[in-house]
Coordinates of all heavy atoms in Angstrom, one line a residue:
M1 N -67.9 105.4 92.3 CA -67.7 106.2 93.5 C -67.6 105.2 94.7 O -68.4 104.3 94.8 CB -68.8 107.2 93.7 CG -68.6 108.0 95.0 SD -69.9 109.2 95.4 CE -70.5 109.8 93.9
A2 N -66.6 105.4 95.5 CA -66.4 104.6 96.7 C -67.5 104.9 97.7 O -68.1 106.0 97.8 CB -65.1 104.8 97.4
K3 N -67.9 103.8 98.5 CA -69.0 104.0 99.4 C -68.6 104.9 100.6 O -69.5 105.5 101.2 CB -69.5 102.6 99.9 CG -70.2 101.8 98.9 CD -70.6 100.5 99.5 CE -71.4 99.7 98.4 NZ -71.9 98.5 99.0
S4 N -67.3 105.0 100.9 CA -66.9 105.8 102.0 C -67.0 107.3 101.8 O -66.9 108.1 102.7 CB -65.5 105.4 102.4 OG -64.6 105.7 101.4
Q5 N -67.0 107.7 100.5 CA -67.1 109.2 100.2 C -68.5 109.7 100.4 O -69.5 109.1 100.1 CB -66.7 109.4 98.7 CG -65.3 109.2 98.4 CD -65.0 109.5 97.0 OE1 -65.9 109.5 96.1 NE2 -63.8 109.9 96.7
K6 N -68.5 110.9 101.1 CA -69.8 111.6 101.2 C -70.0 112.6 100.1 O -69.1 113.3 99.7 CB -69.8 112.3 102.6 CG -70.0 111.5 103.8 CD -70.4 112.3 104.9 CE -70.9 111.4 106.1 NZ -71.4 112.2 107.2
V7 N -71.2 112.6 99.6 CA -71.5 113.5 98.5 C -72.3 114.7 99.0 O -73.3 114.5 99.7 CB -72.4 112.7 97.4 CG1 -72.7 113.7 96.3 CG2 -71.6 111.6 96.8
G8 N -71.8 115.9 98.8 CA -72.5 117.1 99.2 C -73.7 117.3 98.4 O -74.0 116.6 97.4
Q9 N -74.4 118.3 98.7 CA -75.6 118.7 97.9 C -75.5 120.2 97.6 O -74.9 121.0 98.3 CB -76.9 118.5 98.7 CG -77.1 117.0 98.9 CD -78.5 116.8 99.6 OE1 -78.9 117.5 100.5 NE2 -79.2 115.7 99.2
V10 N -76.1 120.6 96.5 CA -76.2 121.9 96.0 C -77.6 122.3 95.7 O -78.4 121.4 95.2 CB -75.2 122.2 94.8 CG1 -73.8 122.2 95.2 CG2 -75.5 121.3 93.7
K11 N -78.0 123.5 95.9 CA -79.3 124.0 95.5 C -79.1 124.8 94.2 O -78.3 125.7 94.1 CB -79.8 125.0 96.6 CG -81.2 125.6 96.3 CD -81.7 126.5 97.4 CE -83.0 127.1 97.1 NZ -83.4 128.0 98.2
V12 N -79.8 124.4 93.2 CA -79.7 125.0 91.9 C -81.0 125.7 91.5 O -82.1 125.1 91.6 CB -79.4 123.9 90.8 CG1 -79.2 124.5 89.5 CG2 -78.2 123.0 91.2
T13 N -80.9 127.0 91.1 CA -82.1 127.8 90.8 C -81.8 128.4 89.4 O -80.8 128.9 89.1 CB -82.2 128.9 91.8 OG1 -82.3 128.4 93.1 CG2 -83.5 129.7 91.5
Q14 N -82.9 128.3 88.6 CA -82.8 128.9 87.2 C -83.0 130.4 87.3 O -84.1 130.8 87.8 CB -83.8 128.2 86.3 CG -83.7 128.7 84.9 CD -84.6 128.0 83.9 OE1 -85.3 127.1 84.3 NE2 -84.7 128.6 82.7
I15 N -82.1 131.2 86.9 CA -82.3 132.6 86.9 C -82.4 133.3 85.6 O -82.8 134.4 85.5 CB -81.1 133.3 87.7 CG1 -79.8 133.0 87.0 CG2 -81.1 132.9 89.2 CD1 -78.6 133.8 87.6
K16 N -82.1 132.6 84.5 CA -82.3 133.1 83.1 C -83.0 132.1 82.3 O -83.0 130.9 82.6 CB -80.9 133.4 82.5 CG -80.2 134.6 83.1 CD -79.0 134.9 82.3 CE -78.3 136.1 82.9 NZ -77.0 136.3 82.2
S17 N -83.7 132.6 81.3 CA -84.5 131.7 80.5 C -83.7 130.9 79.5 O -82.6 131.2 79.2 CB -85.5 132.6 79.6 OG -86.2 131.8 78.7
T18 N -84.2 129.7 79.2 CA -83.5 128.8 78.2 C -83.9 129.1 76.8 O -83.4 128.5 75.9 CB -83.8 127.3 78.5 OG1 -85.2 127.2 78.5 CG2 -83.3 126.9 79.9
N19 N -84.7 130.1 76.6 CA -85.0 130.5 75.2 C -83.8 131.0 74.5 O -83.0 131.7 75.1 CB -86.1 131.7 75.2 CG -87.4 131.2 75.6 OD1 -87.7 130.0 75.6 ND2 -88.3 132.1 75.9
K20 N -83.6 130.7 73.3 CA -82.4 131.0 72.5 C -81.1 130.5 73.0 O -80.0 130.9 72.7 CB -82.3 132.6 72.3 CG -83.5 133.2 71.6 CD -83.3 134.7 71.4 CE -84.5 135.2 70.7 NZ -84.4 136.7 70.5
S21 N -81.2 129.4 73.9 CA -80.0 128.7 74.4 C -79.8 127.5 73.5 O -80.7 127.1 72.8 CB -80.2 128.3 75.8 OG -80.3 129.3 76.7
L22 N -78.6 127.0 73.5 CA -78.2 125.8 72.8 C -79.0 124.6 73.3 O -79.4 124.6 74.5 CB -76.7 125.5 72.9 CG -75.8 126.6 72.3 CD1 -74.3 126.2 72.6 CD2 -76.0 126.7 70.8
A23 N -79.3 123.7 72.5 CA -80.1 122.5 72.8 C -79.5 121.7 74.0 O -80.2 121.3 74.9 CB -80.3 121.6 71.6
N24 N -78.1 121.6 74.0 CA -77.5 120.8 75.1 C -77.6 121.6 76.4 O -77.6 121.0 77.5 CB -76.1 120.4 74.7 CG -75.2 121.5 74.4 OD1 -75.6 122.7 74.3 ND2 -73.9 121.2 74.2
H25 N -77.6 122.9 76.4 CA -77.8 123.7 77.6 C -79.2 123.5 78.2 O -79.4 123.3 79.4 CB -77.5 125.2 77.4 CG -76.1 125.5 77.0 ND1 -75.6 126.7 76.8 CD2 -75.0 124.6 76.9 CE1 -74.3 126.7 76.5 NE2 -73.9 125.4 76.6
K26 N -80.2 123.5 77.3 CA -81.6 123.3 77.7 C -81.7 121.9 78.3 O -82.4 121.7 79.3 CB -82.5 123.4 76.5 CG -82.7 124.8 76.0 CD -83.6 124.8 74.8 CE -83.7 126.1 74.2 NZ -84.6 126.2 73.0
A27 N -81.1 120.9 77.7 CA -81.1 119.5 78.1 C -80.5 119.4 79.5 O -81.0 118.6 80.3 CB -80.5 118.6 77.1
C28 N -79.4 120.1 79.7 CA -78.7 120.0 81.1 C -79.6 120.6 82.1 O -79.7 120.0 83.2 CB -77.4 120.8 81.0 SG -76.2 119.9 80.1
V29 N -80.3 121.7 81.9 CA -81.2 122.3 82.9 C -82.4 121.3 83.1 O -82.7 121.1 84.3 CB -81.7 123.7 82.4 CG1 -82.8 124.2 83.3 CG2 -80.6 124.7 82.3
R30 N -82.9 120.7 82.1 CA -84.0 119.8 82.3 C -83.5 118.5 83.0 O -84.2 118.0 83.8 CB -84.6 119.4 80.9 CG -85.4 120.4 80.2 CD -86.8 120.6 80.9 NE -87.5 119.3 80.7 CZ -88.7 119.1 81.2 NH1 -89.3 120.0 82.0 NH2 -89.4 118.0 81.0
G31 N -82.3 118.1 82.7 CA -81.7 117.0 83.4 C -81.6 117.2 84.9 O -81.6 116.2 85.7
L32 N -81.4 118.4 85.3 CA -81.3 118.7 86.7 C -82.7 118.8 87.4 O -82.7 118.9 88.6 CB -80.6 120.0 86.9 CG -79.1 120.0 86.5 CD1 -78.6 121.5 86.5 CD2 -78.3 119.2 87.5
G33 N -83.7 118.7 86.6 CA -85.1 118.6 87.2 C -85.7 120.0 87.3 O -86.7 120.2 87.9
I34 N -85.2 121.0 86.6 CA -85.7 122.3 86.6 C -86.6 122.5 85.3 O -86.1 122.3 84.2 CB -84.6 123.4 86.7 CG1 -83.8 123.2 87.9 CG2 -85.2 124.8 86.6 CD1 -82.6 124.0 88.0
R35 N -87.8 123.0 85.6 CA -88.8 123.2 84.4 C -89.1 124.6 84.2 O -89.5 125.0 83.1 CB -90.0 122.4 84.7 CG -89.8 120.9 84.8 CD -91.1 120.2 85.1 NE -90.8 118.8 85.3 CZ -91.5 117.8 84.7 NH1 -92.5 118.1 83.9 NH2 -91.2 116.6 84.8
K36 N -89.1 125.5 85.2 CA -89.6 126.8 85.1 C -88.5 127.8 85.7 O -87.6 127.4 86.4 CB -90.8 127.0 86.0 CG -92.0 126.2 85.7 CD -93.1 126.5 86.6 CE -94.3 125.5 86.5 NZ -95.3 125.8 87.4
M37 N -88.7 129.1 85.3 CA -87.8 130.1 85.8 C -88.0 130.2 87.3 O -89.1 130.0 87.9 CB -88.2 131.5 85.2 CG -87.8 131.6 83.8 SD -86.1 131.9 83.6 CE -85.9 133.5 84.5
H38 N -87.0 130.5 88.1 CA -86.9 130.7 89.5 C -87.3 129.4 90.3 O -87.6 129.5 91.5 CB -87.8 131.9 89.9 CG -87.5 133.1 89.2 ND1 -86.3 133.8 89.4 CD2 -88.1 133.8 88.2 CE1 -86.3 134.9 88.6 NE2 -87.4 134.9 87.9
Q39 N -87.3 128.3 89.6 CA -87.6 127.0 90.3 C -86.2 126.5 90.9 O -85.2 126.7 90.2 CB -88.2 126.0 89.4 CG -88.5 124.7 90.0 CD -89.1 123.7 89.1 OE1 -89.1 123.9 87.9 NE2 -89.7 122.7 89.6
S40 N -86.3 126.0 92.0 CA -85.0 125.4 92.7 C -85.1 123.9 92.9 O -86.2 123.4 93.1 CB -84.8 126.1 94.0 OG -84.6 127.5 93.9
R41 N -84.0 123.3 92.8 CA -83.9 121.9 93.2 C -82.6 121.7 94.0 O -81.6 122.3 93.8 CB -83.8 121.0 91.9 CG -85.0 121.0 91.0 CD -85.9 120.0 91.6 NE -87.1 119.9 90.7 CZ -88.3 119.7 91.1 NH1 -88.6 119.6 92.3 NH2 -89.3 119.6 90.2
I42 N -82.7 120.7 94.9 CA -81.5 120.3 95.6 C -81.0 119.0 95.0 O -81.8 118.0 94.9 CB -81.8 120.2 97.1 CG1 -82.2 121.5 97.7 CG2 -80.6 119.6 97.8 CD1 -82.6 121.5 99.1
V43 N -79.8 119.0 94.5 CA -79.3 117.8 93.8 C -77.9 117.4 94.5 O -77.3 118.3 95.1 CB -79.0 118.1 92.3 CG1 -80.3 118.3 91.6 CG2 -78.1 119.2 92.1
D44 N -77.6 116.2 94.4 CA -76.3 115.7 94.9 C -75.2 116.3 94.0 O -75.3 116.4 92.8 CB -76.2 114.2 94.9 CG -77.2 113.5 95.9 OD1 -77.5 114.2 96.9 OD2 -77.6 112.4 95.7
A45 N -74.1 116.6 94.6 CA -72.9 117.2 93.9 C -72.0 116.1 93.3 O -70.8 116.0 93.6 CB -72.1 118.1 94.8
T46 N -72.6 115.2 92.5 CA -71.9 114.1 91.8 C -71.2 114.7 90.6 O -71.5 115.8 90.2 CB -72.8 113.0 91.4 OG1 -73.8 113.6 90.4 CG2 -73.5 112.4 92.5
P47 N -70.1 114.1 90.1 CA -69.5 114.6 88.9 C -70.4 114.8 87.7 O -70.3 115.8 87.0 CB -68.4 113.6 88.6 CG -68.1 112.9 89.9 CD -69.5 112.9 90.7
E48 N -71.4 113.9 87.6 CA -72.3 114.0 86.5 C -73.2 115.3 86.6 O -73.4 116.1 85.7 CB -73.3 112.8 86.4 CG -72.5 111.5 86.1 CD -71.9 110.9 87.3 OE1 -72.1 111.4 88.5 OE2 -71.2 109.9 87.2
N49 N -73.7 115.5 87.8 CA -74.6 116.7 88.0 C -73.7 118.0 87.9 O -74.2 119.0 87.4 CB -75.3 116.7 89.4 CG -76.4 115.7 89.4 OD1 -76.9 115.3 88.4 ND2 -76.8 115.2 90.6
M50 N -72.5 118.0 88.5 CA -71.7 119.2 88.4 C -71.3 119.5 87.0 O -71.2 120.7 86.6 CB -70.4 119.0 89.3 CG -70.7 118.9 90.8 SD -71.8 120.2 91.4 CE -70.7 121.6 91.2
G51 N -71.1 118.5 86.1 CA -70.9 118.7 84.7 C -72.0 119.4 84.0 O -71.9 120.3 83.2
M52 N -73.3 119.0 84.4 CA -74.5 119.6 83.8 C -74.6 121.1 84.3 O -74.9 122.0 83.5 CB -75.7 118.8 84.1 CG -75.9 117.5 83.4 SD -77.5 116.8 83.5 CE -77.4 116.1 85.2
I53 N -74.3 121.3 85.6 CA -74.3 122.6 86.1 C -73.3 123.5 85.4 O -73.6 124.7 85.1 CB -74.1 122.6 87.7 CG1 -75.3 122.0 88.3 CG2 -73.9 124.0 88.2 CD1 -75.1 121.6 89.8
N54 N -72.1 123.0 85.3 CA -71.0 123.8 84.6 C -71.3 124.1 83.2 O -71.0 125.2 82.7 CB -69.7 123.1 84.7 CG -69.1 123.1 86.1 OD1 -69.4 124.0 86.9 ND2 -68.3 122.2 86.5
K55 N -72.0 123.3 82.5 CA -72.4 123.5 81.1 C -73.4 124.7 81.0 O -73.3 125.4 80.0 CB -73.0 122.2 80.5 CG -73.5 122.3 79.1 CD -72.3 122.3 78.1 CE -71.8 120.9 77.9 NZ -70.9 120.7 76.8
A56 N -74.3 124.8 81.9 CA -75.3 125.8 81.8 C -75.2 126.8 83.0 O -76.2 127.4 83.4 CB -76.7 125.2 81.8
I57 N -74.0 127.1 83.5 CA -73.8 127.9 84.6 C -74.3 129.3 84.4 O -74.8 130.0 85.4 CB -72.3 127.9 85.1 CG1 -72.2 128.5 86.5 CG2 -71.5 128.6 84.1 CD1 -72.7 127.7 87.6
H58 N -74.4 129.8 83.2 CA -74.8 131.2 82.9 C -76.3 131.3 83.1 O -76.9 132.4 83.1 CB -74.4 131.6 81.5 CG -74.9 130.7 80.4 ND1 -74.4 129.5 80.2 CD2 -75.9 130.9 79.6 CE1 -75.1 128.9 79.2 NE2 -76.0 129.8 78.8
L59 N -77.1 130.2 83.2 CA -78.5 130.2 83.4 C -78.9 129.9 84.8 O -80.1 130.0 85.1 CB -79.2 129.1 82.5 CG -78.9 129.2 81.0 CD1 -79.4 128.0 80.3 CD2 -79.5 130.5 80.4
L60 N -78.0 129.5 85.6 CA -78.3 129.0 87.0 C -77.6 129.8 88.1 O -76.5 130.4 87.9 CB -77.8 127.5 87.1 CG -78.3 126.6 86.0 CD1 -77.6 125.3 86.1 CD2 -79.8 126.4 86.2
K61 N -78.2 129.7 89.3 CA -77.5 130.2 90.5 C -77.3 128.9 91.4 O -78.3 128.1 91.6 CB -78.4 131.2 91.2 CG -77.8 131.7 92.5 CD -78.7 132.8 93.1 CE -79.8 132.2 93.9 NZ -80.6 133.2 94.7
V62 N -76.1 128.7 91.9 CA -75.8 127.5 92.6 C -75.4 127.9 94.0 O -74.6 128.8 94.2 CB -74.6 126.8 91.9 CG1 -74.3 125.5 92.7 CG2 -75.0 126.5 90.5
E63 N -76.0 127.2 95.0 CA -75.7 127.5 96.4 C -75.4 126.1 97.1 O -76.0 125.1 96.8 CB -76.8 128.1 97.1 CG -77.3 129.4 96.6 CD -78.6 129.9 97.2 OE1 -78.8 129.7 98.4 OE2 -79.5 130.4 96.4
E64 N -74.4 126.1 98.0 CA -74.1 124.9 98.7 C -75.1 124.7 99.8 O -75.4 125.7 100.6 CB -72.7 125.0 99.3 CG -72.1 123.7 99.7 CD -70.6 123.9 100.1 OE1 -69.9 124.6 99.4 OE2 -70.2 123.2 101.1
V65 N -75.5 123.5 100.0 CA -76.5 123.1 101.1 C -75.7 122.5 102.2 O -74.8 121.6 102.0 CB -77.5 122.2 100.6 CG1 -78.5 121.8 101.7 CG2 -78.3 122.8 99.4
K66 N -75.9 122.9 103.4 CA -75.2 122.4 104.6 C -76.0 121.3 105.2 O -77.1 121.2 105.2 CB -74.9 123.5 105.6 CG -74.0 124.5 105.0 CD -73.7 125.5 106.0 CE -72.7 126.5 105.4 NZ -72.3 127.6 106.3

């Protein structure tokens, strides 16, 4: 990533349980730093993080941070 680009941030909240989810979906939620239901984290909107969010989007609520 070029240094001149600004990276936005998103607030990610887990709204559904990871029980009975695929292992890679669980790993994506854990990789975002979320451990419990209804826990939120603010993460940078990098391509890596957005890929993890898109993989497990059915378990998460995503809001843009200003």
Side-chain angles (χ1 to χ4, degrees):
M1 179 184 325
K3 290 184 180 182
S4 63
Q5 287 182 336
K6 282 195 170 185
V7 177
Q9 292 185 323
V10 291
K11 179 180 178 182
V12 183
T13 305
Q14 183 179 351
I15 57 170
K16 290 187 180 177
S17 176
T18 56
N19 289 346
K20 298 185 181 179
S21 292
L22 296 175
N24 57 353
H25 294 180
K26 290 179 186 181
C28 288
V29 172
R30 287 286 293 175
L32 292 167
I34 299 173
R35 297 174 184 233
K36 301 179 187 179
M37 287 284 299
H38 307 291
Q39 184 179 14
S40 297
R41 291 280 184 216
I42 296 176
V43 296
D44 292 334
T46 61
E48 295 84 5
N49 286 342
M50 294 309 293
M52 288 192 283
I53 290 169
N54 288 333
K55 180 73 82 166
I57 192 70
H58 60 284
L59 303 173
L60 305 170
K61 180 174 82 172
V62 181
E63 303 170 39
E64 194 172 324
V65 176
K66 293 182 181 183

